[in-house]
Amino acid sequence: MLNALVTVAAEEGASGNPLLPAYYDIIWSGVCMLVIVLVVWRVALPRIGTVLDARSAAIEGNIAKADEAQRQAEAALEEYTAQLAEARKEAGAIREAAREDGKKIVAESRENAAAEAARLTAQAHAQIEAETQTARTALRSEVGTLALDLAGGVLGAKLDDDATAQSVVDRFLADLEASEKAAK
């Protein structure tokens, strides 16, 4: 292909190196290049610099905001940890107070139950004593009547005198109690 270009250039009658452009092409290309470089240097570079500066400022601002957010997050974490520790302390104190209250309630319940049991026992003893007394009175009267009837049958006379009858009954019951004590 290079051979083809050399032959075409030779036929046209050009002299010199076929690979070098003409001087006027080099001058006009240089002027165009100089205009493009001046436009880029005067217009585009300041705008690109401004955009890059704004972008770097935004990035630095975002980094500062991120650092501030990180500090705030760490402060919030420390505060949360402190509040959590305080809440755990409070929960422990509440649990301990509840245990103490529970112990007091159990102790009061035991005291109340013991008092109620003592009251019921005393009431039962009083009731038993009253029933025993009633039974003794009824038994004395019945035993007295029987004793008088038996004594009247043994003596062959009816005992109508209350004082005599009472003394006979009392003696009979005393003998009966003495025989019970001797048997034990």
Side-chain angles (χ1 to χ4, degrees), residues 34-47:
L34 186 62
V35 169
I36 292 173
V37 166
L38 284 175
V39 168
V40 167
W41 183 43
R42 287 286 191 189
V43 176
L45 280 180
R47 289 185 182 171

Side-chain angles (χ1 to χ4, degrees), residues 92-170:
I94 290 171
R95 257 193 321 271
E96 192 60 35
R99 282 188 188 127
E100 292 299 320
D101 289 345
K103 287 178 184 178
K104 287 178 185 176
I105 290 170
V106 167
E108 287 175 5
S109 296
R110 284 185 183 160
E111 289 174 8
N112 290 342
E116 184 66 18
R119 186 187 64 79
L120 289 176
T121 303
Q123 185 179 8
H125 283 293
Q127 187 176 1
I128 289 171
E129 187 63 35
E131 287 177 4
T132 303
Q133 209 50 19
T134 304
R136 280 187 184 167
T137 305
L139 186 60
R140 274 186 185 254
S141 133
E142 209 173 297
V143 168
T145 305
L146 285 173
L148 287 176
D149 288 343
L150 286 174
V154 169
L155 294 174
K158 187 159 174 110
L159 299 172
D160 288 332
D161 185 13
D162 285 336
T164 308
Q166 185 65 35
S167 68
V168 169
V169 169
D170 287 340

Side-chain angles (χ1 to χ4, degrees), residues 18-29:
L19 294 177
L20 288 178
Y23 290 117
Y24 61 89
D25 283 337
I26 292 174
I27 291 173
W28 283 110
S29 296

Side-chain angles (χ1 to χ4, degrees), residues 4-99:
L5 284 174
V6 173
T7 47
V8 171
E11 288 174 2
E12 291 178 5
S15 64
N17 191 353
L19 294 177
L20 288 178
Y23 290 117
Y24 61 89
D25 283 337
I26 292 174
I27 291 173
W28 283 110
S29 296
V31 169
C32 289
M33 181 70 156
L34 186 62
V35 169
I36 292 173
V37 166
L38 284 175
V39 168
V40 167
W41 183 43
R42 287 286 191 189
V43 176
L45 280 180
R47 289 185 182 171
I48 290 173
T50 304
V51 168
L52 289 176
D53 288 341
R55 188 165 190 161
S56 85
I59 290 171
E60 288 174 2
N62 287 340
I63 289 173
K65 287 179 184 176
D67 287 342
E68 180 62 28
Q70 180 69 27
R71 281 191 296 277
Q72 288 176 352
E74 288 173 358
L77 179 62
E78 287 176 10
E79 182 180 342
Y80 169 75
T81 305
Q83 287 176 350
L84 184 61
E86 183 65 29
R88 284 185 179 156
K89 234 185 249 184
E90 272 185 45
I94 290 171
R95 257 193 321 271
E96 192 60 35
R99 282 188 188 127

